[in-house]
């Protein structure tokens, strides 16, 4: 299960934001965003943010529009 912050991070990536923009929006460092991204990849068994977004959408199609 993703933490609420990890879910926020993946939502912002899905909206097309860069790592730098995600950090700015959330008020955290780029390094922290990268840590969240790494944790997301590990938890979902992914190697890219595109794969992670696809897995989230496949796991919960009704929420994919909210991603």
């Amino acid at each position: 299960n993703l933490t609420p912050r990890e879910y926020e991070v993946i939502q912002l990536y899905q909206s097309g934001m860069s790592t730098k923009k995600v950090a700015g929006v959330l008020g955290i460092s780029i390094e922290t965003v990268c840590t969240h991204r790494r944790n997301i990849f590990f938890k979902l068994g992914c190697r890219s943010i595109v794969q992670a977004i696809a897995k989230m959408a496949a796991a919960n199609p009704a929420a994919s529009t909210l991603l």
Side-chain angles (χ1 to χ4, degrees):
N1 291 335
L2 298 181
T3 65
R5 182 61 107 184
E6 291 165 349
Y7 190 72
E8 273 183 296
V9 168
I10 201 169
Q11 285 179 309
L12 293 173
Y13 273 119
Q14 194 277 334
S15 73
M17 289 189 184
S18 67
T19 299
K20 186 176 179 179
K21 286 200 179 240
V22 171
V25 167
L26 297 178
I28 58 179
S29 71
I30 291 171
E31 292 80 13
T32 302
V33 174
C34 291
T35 298
H36 287 309
R37 188 177 63 209
R38 193 169 34 253
N39 291 340
I40 291 166
F41 292 172
F42 177 76
K43 289 178 180 182
L44 298 180
C46 299
R47 291 186 173 203
S48 73
I49 199 66
V50 173
Q51 285 180 329
I53 292 167
K55 279 197 174 192
M56 291 289 293
N60 194 357
S64 65
T65 57
L66 299 176
L67 280 177

